[in-house]
Amino acid sequence: MWILNQLLLVISIGFVYVEAVDPIQDYLSPRASQANVNGTGWRTLNQTVLSKPYDPKAHPRGMYPISEYDFIVASGVTSLIDSLTWRICSDNEAIIIPRPLYNGFPTDMRLRSNGTLLPASFMRDNETVSLEDAFNPTSLNRSLEKTLEESNRHSGKASKEALMTLASFCGRHRIHFISDEIYANSVFPDENLFTSVLSLNLSGIIDPNLVHVMYGMSKDFGASGLRLGALHSRNQNLIQAAAGVNLFSWPSYLAQDMWARLLQNETKTNELLSQNRNLLNQTYSNVTSWLDRRNITYFRGG
């Protein structure tokens, strides 16, 4: 049932600032720490009955060393954003997200978990800029530092260099690094594959307990109605806090098994994703050609 090794890891990045805390809390909000205490029974059931032990014969290799205990499956990435905000933020603590950003994030973070969103703009003091600056490591770092400096409520497809800059920023300030990678496979056929945060060597840059990655089925697979998403984190206190709380946002087992079976069939999965990339490329060419004929400017890296 668990998708685990099969997951192919959006380029929206979120960060949460946390005050200095007791190491036992492990960067979590007080209510998430309490969830760990209250969720002991459920955690035991999950570890002894519902989990599938690692099989070295079936999965002898992997893109990176991961454990089934590093994953939480939920009813979509929207649900995971809400759940993650609940577990990391206390009321009115903030999450920094670089602009331009998805307009659903404010609702995802505020509606139940009462988090606050801090947009970090790369445009400052009427500078002459282009949208390319949104993915430039230097520009990203400056916008994040400026947003953090100006805020009284400290909180918290990029290139590999930009991702390393973001991780370094979070590591310096001891804040959570959340990578929403839901568009990971929605790339053009002639481009390099998406760079996942999980593929980077972040040793000495940021505490692994502060790095969290989300992926879902809705975009790359065109299946938002199935409501499937997964969170990867090496922060075992955070995962354990979610084990019981995510009981309220579980997706159907039938949907999970369907996605798992598809991912296990690598030939069919690759064919589907390849067709998606080709159609994406055709649609992009049609739209941009229409814009070019009418001399309408647009961001050409989109």
Side-chain angles (χ1 to χ4, degrees), residues 275-290:
Q275 182 179 13
N276 179 54
R277 286 191 287 268
N278 289 329
L279 292 174
L280 182 68
N281 192 48
Q282 293 175 22
T283 303
Y284 179 84
S285 298
N286 292 338
V287 173
T288 54
S289 295
W290 186 91

Side-chain angles (χ1 to χ4, degrees), residues 92-153:
N92 294 317
E93 282 194 319
I95 295 178
I96 301 176
I97 301 185
R99 284 174 169 164
L101 55 87
Y102 169 52
N103 62 5
F105 284 149
T107 299
D108 297 348
M109 296 168 186
R110 293 175 187 164
L111 190 59
R112 185 181 74 97
S113 302
N114 206 24
T116 301
L117 186 146
L118 291 179
S121 177
F122 61 92
M123 295 184 290
R124 295 286 176 182
D125 303 323
N126 297 318
E127 296 174 308
T128 300
V129 297
S130 72
L131 280 174
E132 295 287 350
D133 292 318
F135 306 100
N136 179 276
T138 302
S139 178
L140 272 173
N141 184 69
R142 182 179 60 179
S143 67
L144 295 170
E145 293 284 0
K146 189 69 173 176
T147 302
L148 194 61
E149 177 184 332
E150 291 178 349
S151 174
N152 290 325
R153 294 183 304 273

Side-chain angles (χ1 to χ4, degrees), residues 14-131:
F15 317 93
V16 182
Y17 175 88
V18 290
E19 299 289 347
V21 295
D22 188 310
I24 295 178
Q25 292 185 343
D26 204 9
Y27 306 112
L28 304 187
S29 68
R31 57 192 178 193
S33 298
Q34 187 60 41
N36 273 335
V37 176
N38 296 337
T40 303
W42 176 254
R43 184 161 63 251
T44 300
L45 175 65
N46 184 55
Q47 293 174 347
T48 58
V49 179
L50 300 181
S51 295
K52 179 181 176 181
Y54 173 73
D55 186 345
K57 293 184 179 180
H59 306 291
R61 294 183 174 181
M63 291 177 60
Y64 31 82
I66 59 175
S67 162
E68 61 204 80
Y69 299 108
D70 295 340
F71 276 93
I72 285 292
V73 178
S75 55
V77 171
T78 290
S79 174
L80 287 170
I81 293 172
D82 163 66
S83 175
L84 196 55
T85 305
W86 188 93
R87 280 174 276 143
I88 292 176
C89 293
S90 294
D91 286 352
N92 294 317
E93 282 194 319
I95 295 178
I96 301 176
I97 301 185
R99 284 174 169 164
L101 55 87
Y102 169 52
N103 62 5
F105 284 149
T107 299
D108 297 348
M109 296 168 186
R110 293 175 187 164
L111 190 59
R112 185 181 74 97
S113 302
N114 206 24
T116 301
L117 186 146
L118 291 179
S121 177
F122 61 92
M123 295 184 290
R124 295 286 176 182
D125 303 323
N126 297 318
E127 296 174 308
T128 300
V129 297
S130 72
L131 280 174

Side-chain angles (χ1 to χ4, degrees), residues 220-236:
D220 291 337
F221 294 88
S224 58
L226 290 178
R227 308 310 306 145
L228 277 171
L231 167 72
H232 174 274
S233 175
R234 299 193 189 283
N235 188 321
Q236 288 303 302

